[in-house]
Amino acid sequence: MTGSGLMIIFLVIIAFIVISFFLSFVPIGLWISAIAAGVNVGIFSLVGMRLRRVKPKRVIEPMIKAHKAGLKVTTNQLESHFLAGGNVDRVVDALIAAQRANINLTFERCAAIDLAGRDVLEAVQMSVNPKVIETPFINGVAMDGIEVKAKSRITVRANIERLVGGAGEDTIVARVGEGIVSTIGSSEKHTKVLENPDSISQTVLSKGLDSGTAFEILSIDIADVDIGKNIGADLQTEQAVADKNIAQAKAEERRAMAVAQEQEMKARVQEMRAKVVEAESKVPLAFAHALENGNIGVSDYYNLKNVEADTSMRDSINKMTDPTRYNDEDE
């Protein structure tokens, strides 16, 4: 093969590489689709999107969809929303759905809702088709102490004007639960709640629980009502048990104090007996001293011994007739 032939092959390869790079950088097919759909977009605008790191397909395809639906949006609006991190395709779908449902929704508000992290398309669909939120069983206690369990279904509709900054479904469920508990608690008897469960929904609905939320409460329906435990009786039983334990503790305290006092008295008795024994041990010495000094005579001493003997004999006779008396005294 001659040198000219090699040069031609080399030029063909270079041309193929250049054309491939150009077609990958410049979306010719997307530009043709836009022109065919009636969307006026220049080829250099698509190249500029590439340079700004914007995927032209993410902007042009939603633009074609919006143009066919009759929406007045520009490529700059869609491109700026894409650069802000929004979902361009979902915003356009939400605008189309709002237009079909005669909902006044501008592109700026729709983009703000999307950037706030909410599903704007689902919000528009909820404005047309309300959503039903079912709460779990919520427990409340009536004034008679009976526990009442109620389950409710909340029908809500999205409020487009309050989607940015409004509270979500969890707030709605929490507020409705609080309203159910307070309504049951204000009932004098649990039978009134069972007879007229609509009174719960009417009372809760009249409180305006959807204020500050992204939803509008259409209705609150009580789906099921059950009877729980007798909380009042359980509390009274627990209180009675606590009172009994307190009384037993106080009685045990008094018994311990009585035992301690009894032991103290016994100790004092032993102490007094010891003093008596000590005093009695001094009597013979006193007699001896009195005899020695002539304060008493021998006859007086014998008369005293006779009295002691008579006393001892009477004590022996009394022990034989009533032994329990002296046993108690000995103890």
Side-chain angles (χ1 to χ4, degrees):
M1 183 177 292
T2 62
S4 60
L6 292 175
M7 181 63 66
I8 293 173
I9 294 174
F10 180 74
L11 291 176
V12 170
I13 293 175
I14 294 298
F16 178 77
I17 294 174
V18 171
I19 293 172
S20 299
F21 176 77
F22 178 79
L23 291 178
S24 63
F25 190 78
V26 181
I28 300 295
L30 188 62
W31 176 70
I32 295 173
S33 299
I35 295 298
V39 177
N40 187 14
V41 59
I43 188 67
F44 293 104
S45 298
L46 299 178
V47 175
M49 291 181 188
R50 289 282 193 187
L51 295 175
R52 291 187 292 271
R53 295 184 179 182
V54 176
K55 296 180 180 180
K57 186 177 181 180
R58 296 286 185 88
V59 175
I60 299 303
E61 288 184 353
M63 186 67 188
I64 294 173
K65 190 188 304 183
H67 179 74
K68 289 297 182 180
L71 299 177
K72 294 181 180 180
V73 294
T74 63
T75 55
N76 289 331
Q77 288 177 321
L78 299 181
E79 187 177 352
S80 63
H81 186 64
F82 178 83
L83 290 174
N87 192 328
V88 178
D89 191 61
R90 186 167 291 273
V91 167
V92 172
D93 290 341
L95 289 172
I96 295 173
Q99 184 190 43
R100 296 293 187 270
N102 292 325
I103 298 175
N104 186 16
L105 181 63
T106 63
F107 175 82
E108 287 75 13
R109 178 167 292 277
C110 190
I113 294 172
D114 182 61
L115 292 177
R118 296 188 182 274
D119 192 336
V120 62
L121 179 59
E122 182 182 0
V124 173
Q125 292 172 349
M126 283 182 61
S127 298
V128 179
N129 185 20
K131 180 180 180 180
V132 177
I133 304 173
E134 185 170 340
T135 65
F137 273 108
I138 299 171
N139 302 342
V141 181
M143 290 184 180
D144 58 357
I146 304 300
E147 182 184 29
V148 179
K149 302 177 181 179
K151 178 188 290 186
S152 64
R153 290 190 177 94
I154 313 166
T155 304
V156 296
R157 180 172 59 193
N159 192 331
I160 301 297
E161 300 297 327
R162 295 189 305 207
L163 278 177
V164 178
E169 295 182 10
D170 294 338
T171 302
I172 293 290
V173 173
R175 289 182 179 179
V176 171
E178 180 182 358
I180 291 175
V181 171
S182 62
T183 303
I184 294 175
S186 61
S187 300
E188 294 182 358
K189 294 183 178 180
H190 70 283
T191 54
K192 291 185 177 181
V193 180
L194 298 177
E195 292 172 358
N196 189 16
D198 290 340
S199 61
I200 300 178
S201 58
Q202 293 173 1
T203 304
V204 174
L205 192 60
S206 63
K207 293 183 177 180
L209 302 179
D210 55 1
S211 62
T213 65
F215 303 96
E216 177 185 356
I217 298 178
L218 301 179
S219 66
I220 299 176
D221 303 311
I222 303 300
D224 192 8
V225 178
D226 289 338
I227 298 297
K229 299 184 297 182
N230 192 336
I231 303 296
D234 292 344
L235 292 177
Q236 291 177 358
T237 302
E238 293 177 0
Q239 185 63 42
V241 172
D243 293 341
K244 185 191 73 172
N245 293 335
I246 293 173
Q248 289 178 346
K250 290 183 178 180
E252 183 63 24
E253 181 182 0
R254 290 193 298 270
R255 189 192 69 82
M257 292 179 63
V259 171
Q261 187 175 8
E262 180 184 2
Q263 295 299 324
E264 183 180 356
M265 295 303 294
K266 287 183 178 180
R268 293 181 63 184
V269 168
Q270 294 297 329
E271 182 182 357
M272 297 304 294
R273 285 181 177 177
K275 290 181 179 180
V276 170
V277 171
E278 182 182 0
E280 288 177 349
S281 65
K282 295 179 180 180
V283 172
L285 295 176
F287 273 116
H289 185 69
L291 288 173
E292 183 180 356
N293 294 330
N295 293 330
I296 61 173
V298 177
S299 60
D300 295 331
Y301 177 74
Y302 281 108
N303 290 333
L304 179 62
K305 286 296 183 179
N306 291 330
V307 172
E308 290 179 353
D310 291 341
T311 303
S312 177
M313 181 180 64
R314 291 191 186 95
D315 289 339
S316 299
I317 294 171
N318 288 332
K319 286 183 180 180
M320 293 176 62
T321 57
D322 189 6
T324 57
R325 174 184 174 186
Y326 289 92
N327 289 336
D328 294 338
E329 292 180 355
D330 293 340
E331 291 177 358

